mmCIF file of all heavy atoms in Angstrom:
data_model
loop_
_atom_site.group_PDB
_atom_site.id
_atom_site.type_symbol
_atom_site.label_atom_id
_atom_site.label_comp_id
_atom_site.label_asym_id
_atom_site.label_seq_id
_atom_site.Cartn_x
_atom_site.Cartn_y
_atom_site.Cartn_z
ATOM 1 N N ASN A 2 -8.207 20.494 -6.766
ATOM 2 C CA ASN A 2 -8.036 21.852 -6.245
ATOM 3 C C ASN A 2 -9.328 22.451 -5.693
ATOM 4 O O ASN A 2 -9.291 23.395 -4.907
ATOM 5 C CB ASN A 2 -7.458 22.768 -7.321
ATOM 6 C CG ASN A 2 -8.359 22.874 -8.547
ATOM 7 O OD1 ASN A 2 -8.748 21.871 -9.123
ATOM 8 N ND2 ASN A 2 -8.677 24.090 -8.964
ATOM 9 N N ASP A 3 -10.485 21.888 -6.058
ATOM 10 C CA ASP A 3 -11.742 22.380 -5.496
ATOM 11 C C ASP A 3 -12.119 21.660 -4.205
ATOM 12 O O ASP A 3 -13.200 21.886 -3.650
ATOM 13 C CB ASP A 3 -12.874 22.262 -6.523
ATOM 14 C CG ASP A 3 -13.146 20.808 -6.941
ATOM 15 O OD1 ASP A 3 -12.500 19.884 -6.389
ATOM 16 O OD2 ASP A 3 -13.999 20.602 -7.827
ATOM 17 N N GLY A 4 -11.223 20.771 -3.732
ATOM 18 C CA GLY A 4 -11.467 20.064 -2.486
ATOM 19 C C GLY A 4 -12.195 18.748 -2.632
ATOM 20 O O GLY A 4 -12.351 18.008 -1.649
ATOM 21 N N SER A 5 -12.655 18.419 -3.832
ATOM 22 C CA SER A 5 -13.369 17.153 -4.031
ATOM 23 C C SER A 5 -12.408 15.977 -3.986
ATOM 24 O O SER A 5 -11.221 16.098 -4.299
ATOM 25 C CB SER A 5 -14.119 17.170 -5.367
ATOM 26 O OG SER A 5 -13.221 17.340 -6.450
ATOM 27 N N LEU A 6 -12.928 14.808 -3.572
ATOM 28 C CA LEU A 6 -12.141 13.586 -3.451
ATOM 29 C C LEU A 6 -12.693 12.514 -4.382
ATOM 30 O O LEU A 6 -13.913 12.348 -4.501
ATOM 31 C CB LEU A 6 -12.183 13.049 -2.016
ATOM 32 C CG LEU A 6 -11.638 13.950 -0.903
ATOM 33 C CD1 LEU A 6 -11.956 13.343 0.463
ATOM 34 C CD2 LEU A 6 -10.134 14.144 -1.058
ATOM 35 N N VAL A 7 -11.794 11.772 -5.027
ATOM 36 C CA VAL A 7 -12.185 10.621 -5.850
ATOM 37 C C VAL A 7 -11.257 9.462 -5.526
ATOM 38 O O VAL A 7 -10.138 9.662 -5.049
ATOM 39 C CB VAL A 7 -12.138 10.933 -7.361
ATOM 40 C CG1 VAL A 7 -13.084 12.070 -7.706
ATOM 41 C CG2 VAL A 7 -10.714 11.260 -7.804
ATOM 42 N N MET A 8 -11.728 8.235 -5.782
ATOM 43 C CA MET A 8 -10.941 7.065 -5.388
ATOM 44 C C MET A 8 -11.047 5.955 -6.420
ATOM 45 O O MET A 8 -12.116 5.698 -6.979
ATOM 46 C CB MET A 8 -11.423 6.549 -4.027
ATOM 47 C CG MET A 8 -10.729 5.286 -3.544
ATOM 48 S SD MET A 8 -11.184 4.861 -1.825
ATOM 49 C CE MET A 8 -12.910 4.405 -2.030
ATOM 50 N N ASP A 9 -9.904 5.295 -6.655
ATOM 51 C CA ASP A 9 -9.865 4.071 -7.453
ATOM 52 C C ASP A 9 -9.238 2.986 -6.589
ATOM 53 O O ASP A 9 -8.362 3.272 -5.747
ATOM 54 C CB ASP A 9 -9.052 4.283 -8.734
ATOM 55 C CG ASP A 9 -9.303 3.185 -9.766
ATOM 56 O OD1 ASP A 9 -10.298 2.447 -9.617
ATOM 57 O OD2 ASP A 9 -8.507 3.062 -10.718
ATOM 58 N N THR A 10 -9.663 1.734 -6.756
ATOM 59 C CA THR A 10 -9.180 0.651 -5.895
ATOM 60 C C THR A 10 -8.781 -0.575 -6.714
ATOM 61 O O THR A 10 -9.260 -0.784 -7.827
ATOM 62 C CB THR A 10 -10.254 0.219 -4.871
ATOM 63 O OG1 THR A 10 -11.366 -0.366 -5.570
ATOM 64 C CG2 THR A 10 -10.740 1.395 -4.050
ATOM 65 N N ARG A 11 -7.907 -1.368 -6.128
ATOM 66 C CA ARG A 11 -7.535 -2.679 -6.647
ATOM 67 C C ARG A 11 -7.329 -3.620 -5.458
ATOM 68 O O ARG A 11 -6.911 -3.181 -4.385
ATOM 69 C CB ARG A 11 -6.240 -2.612 -7.477
ATOM 70 C CG ARG A 11 -6.333 -1.806 -8.747
ATOM 71 C CD ARG A 11 -7.200 -2.484 -9.800
ATOM 72 N NE ARG A 11 -7.220 -1.722 -11.047
ATOM 73 C CZ ARG A 11 -8.076 -0.736 -11.315
ATOM 74 N NH1 ARG A 11 -8.964 -0.368 -10.398
ATOM 75 N NH2 ARG A 11 -8.041 -0.116 -12.476
ATOM 76 N N PHE A 12 -7.598 -4.909 -5.660
ATOM 77 C CA PHE A 12 -7.326 -5.895 -4.615
ATOM 78 C C PHE A 12 -6.053 -6.635 -4.995
ATOM 79 O O PHE A 12 -5.916 -7.133 -6.110
ATOM 80 C CB PHE A 12 -8.478 -6.884 -4.460
ATOM 81 C CG PHE A 12 -8.342 -7.766 -3.241
ATOM 82 C CD1 PHE A 12 -8.693 -7.290 -1.989
ATOM 83 C CD2 PHE A 12 -7.831 -9.048 -3.346
ATOM 84 C CE1 PHE A 12 -8.558 -8.080 -0.855
ATOM 85 C CE2 PHE A 12 -7.688 -9.847 -2.224
ATOM 86 C CZ PHE A 12 -8.055 -9.360 -0.974
ATOM 87 N N VAL A 13 -5.105 -6.680 -4.053
ATOM 88 C CA VAL A 13 -3.794 -7.286 -4.311
ATOM 89 C C VAL A 13 -3.591 -8.485 -3.393
ATOM 90 O O VAL A 13 -3.770 -8.391 -2.176
ATOM 91 C CB VAL A 13 -2.660 -6.259 -4.083
ATOM 92 C CG1 VAL A 13 -1.296 -6.924 -4.242
ATOM 93 C CG2 VAL A 13 -2.794 -5.093 -5.062
ATOM 94 N N LYS A 14 -3.215 -9.603 -3.999
ATOM 95 C CA LYS A 14 -2.910 -10.814 -3.235
ATOM 96 C C LYS A 14 -1.399 -10.882 -3.013
ATOM 97 O O LYS A 14 -0.638 -11.144 -3.941
ATOM 98 C CB LYS A 14 -3.400 -12.055 -3.977
ATOM 99 C CG LYS A 14 -4.913 -12.095 -4.164
ATOM 100 C CD LYS A 14 -5.347 -13.343 -4.929
ATOM 101 C CE LYS A 14 -6.867 -13.364 -5.098
ATOM 102 N NZ LYS A 14 -7.314 -14.571 -5.844
ATOM 103 N N ALA A 15 -0.981 -10.604 -1.802
ATOM 104 C CA ALA A 15 0.438 -10.655 -1.420
ATOM 105 C C ALA A 15 0.487 -10.733 0.092
ATOM 106 O O ALA A 15 -0.438 -10.295 0.776
ATOM 107 C CB ALA A 15 1.184 -9.423 -1.905
ATOM 108 N N SER A 16 1.574 -11.285 0.633
ATOM 109 C CA SER A 16 1.667 -11.383 2.097
ATOM 110 C C SER A 16 3.123 -11.418 2.533
ATOM 111 O O SER A 16 3.988 -11.963 1.845
ATOM 112 C CB SER A 16 0.937 -12.631 2.608
ATOM 113 O OG SER A 16 1.472 -13.808 2.049
ATOM 114 N N GLY A 17 3.375 -10.788 3.705
ATOM 115 C CA GLY A 17 4.696 -10.828 4.324
ATOM 116 C C GLY A 17 5.662 -9.778 3.853
ATOM 117 O O GLY A 17 6.839 -9.805 4.226
ATOM 118 N N GLY A 18 5.218 -8.803 3.054
ATOM 119 C CA GLY A 18 6.152 -7.837 2.487
ATOM 120 C C GLY A 18 6.768 -6.895 3.502
ATOM 121 O O GLY A 18 7.951 -6.556 3.402
ATOM 122 N N CYS A 19 6.011 -6.466 4.511
ATOM 123 C CA CYS A 19 6.539 -5.522 5.506
ATOM 124 C C CYS A 19 7.457 -6.206 6.509
ATOM 125 O O CYS A 19 8.352 -5.569 7.075
ATOM 126 C CB CYS A 19 5.393 -4.834 6.246
ATOM 127 S SG CYS A 19 4.342 -3.826 5.187
ATOM 128 N N SER A 20 7.226 -7.493 6.754
ATOM 129 C CA SER A 20 8.026 -8.224 7.737
ATOM 130 C C SER A 20 9.066 -9.126 7.091
ATOM 131 O O SER A 20 9.736 -9.899 7.780
ATOM 132 C CB SER A 20 7.104 -9.064 8.635
ATOM 133 O OG SER A 20 6.263 -9.905 7.853
ATOM 134 N N ALA A 21 9.231 -9.011 5.772
ATOM 135 C CA ALA A 21 10.227 -9.823 5.078
ATOM 136 C C ALA A 21 11.633 -9.329 5.387
ATOM 137 O O ALA A 21 11.850 -8.123 5.550
ATOM 138 C CB ALA A 21 9.989 -9.775 3.569
ATOM 139 N N PRO A 22 12.618 -10.233 5.505
ATOM 140 C CA PRO A 22 13.995 -9.797 5.751
ATOM 141 C C PRO A 22 14.536 -9.005 4.580
ATOM 142 O O PRO A 22 14.059 -9.124 3.448
ATOM 143 C CB PRO A 22 14.755 -11.122 5.926
ATOM 144 C CG PRO A 22 13.926 -12.139 5.218
ATOM 145 C CD PRO A 22 12.500 -11.694 5.386
ATOM 146 N N ALA A 23 15.537 -8.187 4.854
ATOM 147 C CA ALA A 23 16.147 -7.358 3.815
ATOM 148 C C ALA A 23 16.737 -8.225 2.714
ATOM 149 O O ALA A 23 17.214 -9.333 2.961
ATOM 150 C CB ALA A 23 17.221 -6.471 4.419
ATOM 151 N N GLY A 24 16.701 -7.678 1.501
ATOM 152 C CA GLY A 24 17.197 -8.443 0.372
ATOM 153 C C GLY A 24 18.702 -8.438 0.251
ATOM 154 O O GLY A 24 19.280 -9.242 -0.468
ATOM 155 N N LYS A 25 19.379 -7.516 0.963
ATOM 156 C CA LYS A 25 20.826 -7.413 0.860
ATOM 157 C C LYS A 25 21.459 -7.434 2.244
ATOM 158 O O LYS A 25 20.795 -7.224 3.258
ATOM 159 C CB LYS A 25 21.220 -6.127 0.131
ATOM 160 C CG LYS A 25 20.812 -6.085 -1.334
ATOM 161 C CD LYS A 25 21.324 -4.828 -2.002
ATOM 162 C CE LYS A 25 20.970 -4.797 -3.487
ATOM 163 N NZ LYS A 25 21.472 -3.579 -4.157
ATOM 164 N N ASP A 26 22.763 -7.709 2.271
ATOM 165 C CA ASP A 26 23.512 -7.662 3.513
ATOM 166 C C ASP A 26 23.408 -6.268 4.123
ATOM 167 O O ASP A 26 23.547 -5.262 3.433
ATOM 168 C CB ASP A 26 24.977 -8.015 3.223
ATOM 169 C CG ASP A 26 25.844 -7.902 4.459
ATOM 170 O OD1 ASP A 26 25.815 -8.832 5.284
ATOM 171 O OD2 ASP A 26 26.534 -6.878 4.589
ATOM 172 N N ALA A 27 23.170 -6.218 5.451
ATOM 173 C CA ALA A 27 22.945 -4.933 6.126
ATOM 174 C C ALA A 27 24.150 -4.006 5.996
ATOM 175 O O ALA A 27 23.996 -2.804 5.756
ATOM 176 C CB ALA A 27 22.603 -5.173 7.591
#
């Protein structure tokens, strides 16, 4: 609320999630 910014990070090993086909029949 005072406008300050803080950040935490993690590195994730994964690939193809956004372009993967849908898991169910359309």
Side-chain angles (χ1 to χ4, degrees):
N2 61 307
D3 62 3
S5 60
L6 299 171
V7 300
M8 177 172 68
D9 196 15
T10 66
R11 295 290 183 272
F12 190 80
V13 175
K14 297 179 180 180
S16 59
C19 297
S20 54
K25 293 184 178 180
D26 176 79

